[in-house]
Amino acid sequence: PATQKQLNRGVRLYELLKQGQYQPMEMEDIVVTLFVGVKGYADRVDVNKVSDFAKSWLEHVKTSHKKDVIDAIINAKYTITPEIEAHMKKLAEDFTSAYNA
């Protein structure tokens, strides 16, 4: 069971890492995108919807929470501090629940 869970998460992380050709992501966008995968939020989304979920999540953070997430990550030298992590967990939980509704 734990092995299957790890494999499923790996598939989702792989989907999250995909980038369009000649469309590299900014480092802070990668950090925000991988957060939902590493912390398990993407586990609650069907694999075939992970890419759309990630795009929607990133767009949500960039448009509604740029200062307290994106700018905070950049100012912290691309480190997720405990404060940023706590805020992102709340945002990710709310976003994932609404996305799956």
Side-chain angles (χ1 to χ4, degrees):
T3 303
Q4 188 61 49
K5 186 176 178 182
Q6 288 174 315
L7 290 172
N8 290 339
R9 181 164 294 170
V11 169
R12 285 171 175 81
L13 288 172
Y14 178 76
E15 290 298 317
L16 291 173
L17 286 169
K18 287 183 179 177
Q19 298 180 31
Q21 187 175 11
Y22 308 117
Q23 298 174 342
M25 292 174 73
E26 296 293 333
M27 184 59 73
E28 58 273 16
D29 294 351
I30 294 170
V31 171
V32 169
T33 301
L34 286 178
F35 181 85
V36 291
V38 172
K39 296 297 181 180
Y41 297 100
D43 294 353
R44 299 175 356 206
V45 178
D46 291 337
V47 172
N48 60 347
K49 296 180 181 175
V50 167
S51 183
D52 289 334
F53 168 76
K55 287 177 189 166
S56 298
W57 158 249
L58 182 59
E59 191 60 32
H60 171 69
V61 172
K62 289 172 87 170
T63 57
S64 301
H65 304 280
K66 184 178 185 304
K67 183 175 185 247
D68 49 345
V69 175
I70 301 287
D71 294 348
I73 289 170
I74 294 169
N75 292 335
K77 295 182 174 52
Y78 302 96
T79 302
I80 297 180
T81 65
E83 296 80 19
I84 295 170
E85 181 175 7
H87 187 64
M88 287 180 70
K89 281 182 176 180
K90 170 84 170 85
L91 292 176
E93 182 61 45
D94 293 347
F95 180 84
T96 305
S97 296
Y99 187 86
N100 284 328

